Amino acid sequence: DTEVTQTPKHLVMGMTNKKSLKCEQHMGHRAMYWYKQKAKKPPELMFVYSYEKLSINESVPSRFSPECPNSSLLNLHLHALQPEDSALYLCASSQDGGPGELFFGEGSRLTVL
Amino acid sequence: GENVEQHPSTLSVQEGDSAVIKCTYSDSASNYFPWYKQELGKGPQLIIDIRSNVGEKKDQRIAVTLNKTAKHFSLHITETQPEDSAVYFCAATLYSSASKIIFGSGTRLSIRP
């Protein structure tokens, strides 16, 4: 199984809502990532978890809150988002956070009204 | 920090012809260079990568070349097929901190029948 599964595929939320994006992998990977991708742009790194500990936070606003409950799961909690946060949110995993292939999910497309 | 420039932003080639995408990087310490393909509605997928101790790598119709002195690397696709149509991202990173992959701006490749 070389799949990273993200749910939901689409999410529409108001600026006062609280929602969560979920990501799951069963490849035994120990590093998991959140990326944000705007239309016609490359993915931008938001967070990296390595061995279930947050190792990189790319100065992401606190309205985005990551959580790694275990080595297979990664969540992104969303609260008080702005319309400019509308984007495709991609989850990825890699074997151990070192050099090598990133396995991406298909993404969750978020629209903030 | 690392900066990766990618050209061209769009590329249209006749089916069966070759396509070349070029990237330059700024940090001479970067030593791992992956290429990702992103099809519509999907997450990026690694198609080939190269490390700085190698000048060229080939996998069937895809090849990547690296010129460390000039800080250039290129993707070559031969005998292009309709399924090659996608957005391609080059990237660069330090081998020791591959968590922070820096992506180029992307090339939208279209294959004309």
Side-chain angles (χ1 to χ4, degrees):
Chain A
D1 183 5
T2 58
E3 200 173 71
V4 174
T5 304
Q6 290 188 244
T7 56
K9 290 193 185 304
H10 300 274
L11 178 62
V12 179
M13 60 186 290
M15 290 190 284
T16 58
N17 292 158
K18 283 186 181 180
K19 297 284 185 182
S20 297
L21 305 181
K22 297 184 184 301
C23 176
E24 190 168 3
Q25 58 87 15
H26 295 288
M27 294 178 278
H29 288 172
R30 301 313 300 269
M32 295 186 76
Y33 309 73
W34 281 115
Y35 283 84
K36 174 182 177 180
Q37 187 176 29
K38 300 283 267 186
K40 300 189 178 185
K41 297 289 186 183
E44 294 176 42
L45 183 64
M46 300 175 71
F47 302 103
V48 180
Y49 274 84
S50 182
Y51 292 86
E52 300 161 50
K53 293 193 187 308
L54 184 64
S55 59
I56 295 177
N57 176 343
E58 290 287 277
S59 303
V60 179
S62 60
R63 58 185 184 269
F64 295 91
S65 175
E67 178 195 19
C68 188
N70 60 56
S71 59
S72 299
L73 294 174
L74 186 66
N75 298 323
L76 186 63
H77 302 298
L78 315 170
H79 173 55
L81 295 192
Q82 304 296 310
E84 57 265 29
D85 296 322
S86 298
L88 182 69
Y89 288 84
L90 292 163
C91 174
S93 70
S94 68
Q95 193 164 3
D96 56 12
E101 184 172 0
L102 287 178
F103 290 80
F104 284 89
E106 294 195 342
S108 293
R109 185 161 298 283
L110 173 66
T111 302
V112 182
L113 300 177
Chain B
E2 176 63 277
N3 182 48
V4 178
E5 293 192 0
Q6 182 172 346
H7 300 282
S9 57
T10 61
L11 180 61
S12 178
V13 301
Q14 195 76 31
E15 182 177 349
D17 287 351
S18 296
V20 180
I21 301 171
K22 298 184 178 183
C23 290
T24 60
Y25 61 99
S26 60
D27 189 343
S28 57
S30 290
N31 53 17
Y32 174 63
F33 306 93
W35 285 88
Y36 284 83
K37 174 184 181 182
Q38 187 171 22
E39 297 177 349
L40 198 60
K42 296 190 175 182
Q45 182 178 18
L46 182 75
I47 54 171
I48 195 166
D49 58 11
I50 191 168
R51 303 191 195 281
S52 60
N53 58 348
V54 175
E56 184 173 358
K57 184 176 178 181
K58 199 170 182 180
D59 183 4
Q60 298 182 12
R61 297 186 297 108
I62 293 174
V64 57
T65 58
L66 171 64
N67 181 331
K68 282 193 299 181
T69 304
K71 291 189 275 188
H72 289 174
F73 59 115
S74 300
L75 178 72
H76 304 252
I77 306 175
T78 58
E79 300 172 18
T80 52
Q81 299 170 5
E83 54 265 35
D84 295 328
S85 293
V87 179
Y88 291 80
F89 293 101
C90 63
T93 189
L94 283 171
Y95 192 87
S96 61
S97 60
S99 299
K100 294 195 73 170
I101 288 178
I102 307 300
F103 286 95
S105 53
T107 296
R108 183 172 298 277
L109 175 63
S110 301
I111 308 300
R112 302 190 305 271

